[in-house]
Amino acid sequence: MAIPLSARPDLSRDESDPAWTVGVEVDLLTALALARASTKALLELSPLAHREISAALAHEIDNLETRRDPHSVAAAQALRQYLGAA
């Protein structure tokens, strides 16, 4: 199992360091993949789980959209697409 960057004080935190940049990208992609897999598994547990996860995602979409910054709006759009496919 890989050790997250935050637990590796020996690594530089300089964004110009290619190893740091790649490490952060890998950590982020890993976290996103785990989140997607967990959500998908929960959605498939039962109709009640599907309803509760869908409601939680809708709540997160609302929270992100109220921030109105470009990153939050993009995240809300991505969640909305995922929620529609779920």
Side-chain angles (χ1 to χ4, degrees):
M1 174 185 285
I3 299 172
L5 281 178
S6 58
R8 305 245 344 249
D10 57 314
L11 287 180
S12 164
R13 295 185 186 267
D14 180 6
E15 291 181 18
S16 65
D17 179 4
W20 185 87
T21 303
V22 169
V24 169
E25 290 175 5
V26 169
D27 282 354
L28 178 60
L29 290 173
T30 301
L32 292 172
L34 288 169
R36 281 191 303 270
S38 298
T39 301
K40 183 177 178 187
L42 288 170
L43 285 167
E44 294 175 4
L45 279 176
S46 70
L48 175 60
H50 190 280
R51 187 183 77 216
E52 293 300 319
I53 292 293
S54 296
L57 287 171
H59 179 73
E60 288 301 320
I61 290 168
D62 290 342
N63 285 341
L64 288 166
E65 287 178 338
T66 59
R67 294 182 192 169
R68 299 178 191 246
D69 65 273
H71 293 119
S72 295
V73 171
Q77 289 279 6
L79 280 177
R80 188 177 311 287
Q81 291 173 359
Y82 181 76
L83 186 59

